[in-house]
Amino acid sequence: MVHAPNRPPPGAPPVRINLYSDTQTRPTPAMKDAMMRAEVGDEQHGDDPTVHELCDRMAALMGKEAAMYLPSGTMCNVVAILTHCQKGDEVVAHETSHILHSEGGTHAALTGVQIMPMRGPKGMFTADELRAAIRPKTRYTPPQRLLEVEQTANIGGGAVWPLAQLNAVAAVAHGEGWATHMDGARLMNACVAAGVAPKDMVASYDSVWLDFTKGLGAPLGAVLCGSNEFIGRAWRWKQRLGGSMRQGGICAAACIYALDHNIDRLAEDHANAKALARGLAQIEGVKVEDPETNLVFFDISGTGMDVARLQEKLQMRGIAVSGLGGRVRACTHLDVTAPMIDEAVTEIRAALKAA
Ligand SMILES: *Cc1c(COP(=O)(O)O)cnc(C)c1O
């Protein structure tokens, strides 16, 4: 059977503090109200006014010509890679990237690209390191075609690529004639944390997408942005993959609501993540990485307990966290309040004491 990552152990109480992921936010009554009132049409046919409004707003926000609504962030990566690349092309991305680890092997199964894994702290690499990864163009080498970066870098600890470094690696890629693609699952967290406008943050990237189901709190959907020409070609892949929808406006309305109400508040999630990290750092044997956004990674190997055991103990206390790359990940989001952070620290301390 395929592993179900968050199935509670038998007898576990309902989850009271959900630090498992920012994907687990529930639409609020106000968001649901916006969904109820959405004007809808046939999205696939180009007739859904609410999807059009979302795409127009996203294109403007990202400073791109066009945008496309898709069911998920994963589909945005798959559609973008299929649109930029041919089978056998090489995509250069960090070794911790989502496209390598968390898309079910889709790039072997469907897109047919190979991915060159780059090393470097916090899910990032430098322009010099990228230059060193450029292959000679011979009949032996795979054609390098695309640079892919994650902003923020998820397994990199929710770290924010500095704007100058984003631009520098993109310049190397463009100098080689490659395209550039940004996985912006948590792009707004990066923009809020760095105080950089989205269109400046993504200016060097030919395509970029934003997930509405992470910290933005919508139930479904992600928007891929790029040039008219790129989005025009991407539509064929959306159709082929079954990503064309019908009355998608119901969900697009939740995304529009999120654009209006849930961006500035990401700063609260970042403050809560910092408070959580400060609290965890006081626990003996716990090593915490200083969070830049809403993801807090900590190492408990000094406590004698392993990640799965801690997860289970916390679930019995009504608290959910995830395990990622041998570390524990706790994620703050709009359903997590400051008092919950204090309580989570107390519970984690107690669970670890029982080691
Ligand atoms: C969540 C995530 C994705 C995939 O998004 P889904 O909407 O879950 O398909 C891609 N990249 C990163 C960095 C993510 O965190």
Side-chain angles (χ1 to χ4, degrees):
M1 204 193 93
V2 175
H3 178 55
N6 202 30
R7 176 76 64 89
V15 176
R16 190 170 80 252
I17 304 177
N18 193 341
L19 302 168
Y20 183 83
S21 177
D22 47 8
T23 56
Q24 301 209 349
T25 50
R26 305 290 157 93
T28 58
M31 182 180 271
K32 284 184 186 164
D33 196 48
M35 297 172 78
M36 290 288 285
R37 285 184 284 100
E39 234 189 285
V40 296
D42 186 338
E43 189 257 2
Q44 189 171 126
H45 200 246
D47 295 335
D48 191 302
T50 307
V51 171
H52 286 316
E53 184 188 340
L54 173 64
C55 290
D56 290 349
R57 286 194 53 179
M58 280 297 292
L61 188 67
M62 299 295 155
K64 305 295 180 201
E65 287 172 350
M68 166 193 279
Y69 189 42
L70 287 165
S72 72
T74 299
M75 201 183 280
C76 288
N77 277 338
V78 174
V79 164
I81 287 175
L82 285 164
T83 307
H84 285 301
C85 301
Q86 303 283 320
K87 278 194 162 58
D89 283 351
E90 189 169 61
V91 177
V92 180
H94 195 269
E95 62 178 358
T96 60
S97 62
H98 197 277
I99 57 172
L100 257 172
H101 295 284
S102 306
E103 298 184 358
T106 196
H107 303 288
L110 295 179
T111 68
V113 299
Q114 77 176 37
I115 301 169
M116 176 190 269
M118 298 290 293
R119 295 229 168 107
K122 296 185 175 185
M124 299 175 209
F125 43 88
T126 65
D128 282 343
E129 287 161 343
L130 184 59
R131 239 175 253 117
I134 297 170
R135 297 179 187 274
K137 292 175 179 61
T138 75
R139 67 181 57 156
Y140 301 106
T141 53
Q144 294 180 304
R145 179 66 201 123
L146 182 68
L147 168 70
E148 194 259 9
V149 300
E150 265 177 45
Q151 180 74 310
T152 66
N154 180 359
I155 298 179
V160 180
W161 283 76
L163 181 56
Q165 193 173 343
L166 273 182
N167 290 339
V169 292
V172 172
H174 285 146
E176 288 299 302
W178 311 348
T180 53
H181 172 68
M182 182 185 287
D183 171 339
R186 297 185 179 82
L187 174 63
M188 289 305 165
N189 293 87
C191 292
V192 167
V196 172
K199 63 173 182 298
D200 297 329
M201 192 68 100
V202 309
S204 306
Y205 287 76
D206 301 310
S207 55
V208 58
W209 62 270
L210 172 67
D211 216 330
F212 283 87
T213 63
K214 302 279 163 86
L216 298 184
L220 192 146
V223 175
L224 176 65
C225 304
S227 67
N228 282 326
E229 188 271 338
F230 173 83
I231 294 295
R233 286 191 298 118
W235 259 99
R236 169 143 289 131
W237 287 113
K238 173 173 154 97
Q239 188 68 29
R240 283 176 176 163
L241 294 172
S244 294
M245 292 175 276
R246 297 302 186 185
Q247 286 69 42
I250 292 277
C251 289
C255 302
I256 293 169
Y257 180 91
L259 286 178
D260 289 335
H261 298 94
N262 291 351
I263 292 178
D264 293 341
R265 64 153 307 287
L266 292 172
E268 275 173 52
D269 298 344
H270 301 168
N272 283 337
K274 283 201 168 25
L276 178 61
R278 276 195 304 274
L280 292 171
Q282 305 301 312
I283 303 174
E284 211 185 302
V286 173
K287 276 202 219 103
V288 194
E289 296 161 39
D290 190 26
E292 293 181 35
T293 55
N294 68 325
L295 307 181
V296 181
F297 281 82
F298 56 105
D299 182 333
I300 56 167
S301 49
T303 65
M305 194 179 286
D306 67 34
V307 174
R309 182 93 186 96
L310 176 65
Q311 273 184 292
E312 204 179 289
K313 280 189 164 294
L314 287 175
Q315 282 203 311
M316 296 312 289
R317 294 164 182 268
I319 297 184
V321 295
S322 62
L324 212 58
R327 300 170 293 170
V328 186
R329 192 189 75 170
C331 187
T332 60
H333 51 74
L334 82 176
D335 292 342
V336 176
T337 61
M340 286 183 190
I341 294 293
D342 295 337
E343 200 184 332
V345 171
T346 306
E347 295 285 12
I348 292 169
R349 182 193 302 276
L352 286 171
K353 228 183 216 136

Coordinates of all heavy atoms in Angstrom, one line a residue, residues 75-107:
M75 N 0.7 20.4 -11.1 CA 0.3 20.5 -12.5 C 1.0 21.7 -13.2 O 1.4 21.6 -14.3 CB -1.2 20.4 -12.7 CG -1.5 20.0 -14.1 SD -3.3 20.0 -14.5 CE -3.8 18.4 -13.8
C76 N 1.2 22.8 -12.4 CA 1.9 23.9 -12.9 C 3.3 23.6 -13.3 O 3.8 24.0 -14.4 CB 1.9 25.1 -11.9 SG 0.3 25.9 -11.6
N77 N 4.0 22.8 -12.4 CA 5.4 22.4 -12.8 C 5.4 21.5 -14.0 O 6.2 21.7 -14.9 CB 6.0 21.7 -11.6 CG 6.6 22.7 -10.6 OD1 6.9 23.8 -10.9 ND2 6.8 22.2 -9.3
V78 N 4.5 20.6 -14.0 CA 4.4 19.6 -15.1 C 4.1 20.3 -16.5 O 4.8 20.1 -17.5 CB 3.4 18.5 -14.8 CG1 3.3 17.5 -16.0 CG2 3.9 17.7 -13.6
V79 N 3.1 21.2 -16.4 CA 2.7 21.9 -17.7 C 3.8 22.8 -18.1 O 4.2 22.9 -19.3 CB 1.4 22.7 -17.4 CG1 1.2 23.7 -18.5 CG2 0.2 21.7 -17.4
A80 N 4.5 23.5 -17.2 CA 5.6 24.4 -17.5 C 6.7 23.7 -18.1 O 7.3 24.1 -19.2 CB 6.0 25.2 -16.3
I81 N 7.1 22.6 -17.5 CA 8.2 21.8 -18.1 C 7.9 21.2 -19.4 O 8.7 21.3 -20.4 CB 8.7 20.7 -17.0 CG1 9.4 21.5 -15.9 CG2 9.6 19.7 -17.7 CD1 9.8 20.6 -14.7
L82 N 6.7 20.7 -19.6 CA 6.3 20.2 -20.9 C 6.3 21.3 -22.0 O 6.6 21.1 -23.1 CB 4.9 19.6 -20.8 CG 4.9 18.2 -20.2 CD1 3.4 17.8 -19.7 CD2 5.4 17.1 -21.1
T83 N 6.0 22.5 -21.5 CA 5.9 23.6 -22.5 C 7.3 24.2 -22.8 O 7.6 24.5 -24.0 CB 5.0 24.8 -21.9 OG1 3.7 24.2 -21.6 CG2 4.8 25.9 -22.9
H84 N 8.2 24.2 -21.9 CA 9.5 24.7 -22.1 C 10.4 23.7 -22.8 O 11.4 24.1 -23.5 CB 10.2 25.1 -20.8 CG 9.7 26.4 -20.2 ND1 9.8 27.6 -20.8 CD2 9.2 26.6 -18.9 CE1 9.4 28.5 -20.0 NE2 9.0 28.0 -18.8
C85 N 10.2 22.4 -22.5 CA 11.2 21.4 -22.9 C 10.7 20.3 -23.9 O 9.5 20.1 -24.0 CB 11.7 20.6 -21.6 SG 12.4 21.7 -20.4
Q86 N 11.6 19.6 -24.5 CA 11.3 18.4 -25.2 C 11.8 17.2 -24.4 O 12.7 17.4 -23.5 CB 12.2 18.4 -26.5 CG 11.9 19.6 -27.4 CD 10.7 19.5 -28.2 OE1 10.3 18.4 -28.7 NE2 10.0 20.6 -28.3
K87 N 11.3 16.0 -24.7 CA 11.8 14.8 -24.0 C 13.4 14.7 -24.2 O 13.9 15.1 -25.3 CB 11.2 13.6 -24.7 CG 9.8 13.3 -24.2 CD 9.5 11.8 -24.6 CE 8.3 11.2 -23.8 NZ 7.1 12.0 -23.8
G88 N 14.1 14.3 -23.2 CA 15.5 14.2 -23.2 C 16.2 15.5 -22.9 O 17.5 15.5 -22.7
D89 N 15.5 16.6 -22.8 CA 16.2 17.9 -22.3 C 16.5 17.7 -20.9 O 16.0 16.9 -20.1 CB 15.2 19.0 -22.5 CG 15.1 19.5 -24.0 OD1 15.9 19.0 -24.8 OD2 14.2 20.3 -24.3
E90 N 17.4 18.6 -20.4 CA 17.8 18.6 -19.0 C 17.4 19.9 -18.4 O 17.5 21.0 -18.9 CB 19.4 18.5 -18.9 CG 19.8 18.3 -17.4 CD 21.3 17.9 -17.4 OE1 22.1 18.8 -17.8 OE2 21.6 16.8 -16.9
V91 N 16.8 19.7 -17.2 CA 16.4 20.8 -16.3 C 17.4 20.9 -15.2 O 17.7 19.9 -14.5 CB 15.0 20.6 -15.7 CG1 14.5 21.7 -14.8 CG2 14.0 20.4 -16.9
V92 N 17.9 22.1 -14.9 CA 18.8 22.2 -13.8 C 18.1 22.8 -12.6 O 17.4 23.8 -12.7 CB 20.0 23.2 -14.2 CG1 21.0 23.4 -13.0 CG2 20.7 22.7 -15.4
A93 N 18.1 22.1 -11.5 CA 17.3 22.4 -10.3 C 18.1 22.0 -9.0 O 19.0 21.1 -9.1 CB 16.0 21.8 -10.3
H94 N 17.7 22.5 -7.9 CA 18.4 22.1 -6.7 C 18.1 20.6 -6.3 O 17.0 20.1 -6.6 CB 18.0 23.0 -5.5 CG 18.9 22.9 -4.3 ND1 18.7 22.0 -3.3 CD2 20.1 23.5 -4.1 CE1 19.7 22.1 -2.4 NE2 20.6 23.0 -2.9
E95 N 19.0 20.0 -5.7 CA 18.9 18.6 -5.3 C 17.7 18.3 -4.4 O 17.2 17.2 -4.2 CB 20.1 18.0 -4.7 CG 20.6 18.6 -3.4 CD 21.8 18.0 -2.8 OE1 22.3 17.0 -3.4 OE2 22.3 18.5 -1.8
T96 N 17.2 19.3 -3.6 CA 16.1 19.2 -2.7 C 14.8 19.6 -3.4 O 13.8 19.6 -2.7 CB 16.3 20.1 -1.5 OG1 16.4 21.4 -1.9 CG2 17.5 19.7 -0.7
S97 N 14.8 19.8 -4.7 CA 13.6 20.4 -5.3 C 12.3 19.5 -5.3 O 12.5 18.3 -5.4 CB 13.9 20.9 -6.7 OG 14.2 19.9 -7.5
H98 N 11.2 20.1 -5.3 CA 9.9 19.4 -5.3 C 9.8 18.6 -6.6 O 9.3 17.5 -6.6 CB 8.8 20.5 -5.3 CG 7.4 19.9 -4.9 ND1 6.6 19.3 -5.8 CD2 6.8 19.8 -3.7 CE1 5.5 18.9 -5.2 NE2 5.6 19.2 -4.0
I99 N 10.3 19.1 -7.7 CA 10.2 18.3 -9.0 C 11.0 17.0 -8.9 O 10.6 16.0 -9.6 CB 10.6 19.2 -10.2 CG1 12.0 19.7 -10.1 CG2 9.6 20.3 -10.5 CD1 12.5 20.3 -11.5
L100 N 12.0 17.0 -8.1 CA 12.8 15.7 -8.0 C 12.2 14.8 -7.0 O 12.2 13.6 -7.2 CB 14.2 16.1 -7.5 CG 15.3 16.0 -8.5 CD1 16.6 16.6 -7.9 CD2 15.6 14.6 -9.0
H101 N 11.6 15.3 -5.9 CA 11.3 14.4 -4.7 C 9.8 14.2 -4.5 O 9.4 13.2 -3.9 CB 11.8 15.0 -3.4 CG 13.3 15.1 -3.4 ND1 14.1 13.9 -3.2 CD2 14.2 16.1 -3.7 CE1 15.3 14.3 -3.3 NE2 15.4 15.5 -3.6
S102 N 8.9 15.1 -5.0 CA 7.6 15.0 -4.5 C 6.5 15.0 -5.6 O 5.4 15.4 -5.4 CB 7.3 16.2 -3.6 OG 8.3 16.2 -2.6
E103 N 6.9 14.7 -6.9 CA 5.9 14.7 -7.9 C 5.7 13.3 -8.5 O 5.4 13.2 -9.7 CB 6.3 15.8 -9.0 CG 6.3 17.2 -8.3 CD 6.5 18.4 -9.1 OE1 6.8 18.3 -10.3 OE2 6.4 19.5 -8.5
G104 N 6.0 12.3 -7.7 CA 5.6 10.9 -8.1 C 6.4 10.4 -9.2 O 6.0 9.5 -9.9
G105 N 7.6 11.0 -9.5 CA 8.4 10.5 -10.6 C 7.9 11.0 -12.0 O 8.2 10.4 -13.0
T106 N 7.1 12.1 -11.9 CA 6.4 12.5 -13.2 C 7.4 12.9 -14.3 O 7.0 12.8 -15.5 CB 5.4 13.6 -12.9 OG1 4.5 13.7 -14.0 CG2 6.1 15.0 -12.7
H107 N 8.6 13.3 -13.9 CA 9.4 13.8 -15.0 C 10.1 12.6 -15.7 O 10.4 12.8 -16.9 CB 10.4 14.9 -14.4 CG 9.6 16.0 -13.8 ND1 8.9 16.9 -14.6 CD2 9.2 16.2 -12.5 CE1 8.2 17.7 -13.8 NE2 8.4 17.3 -12.6

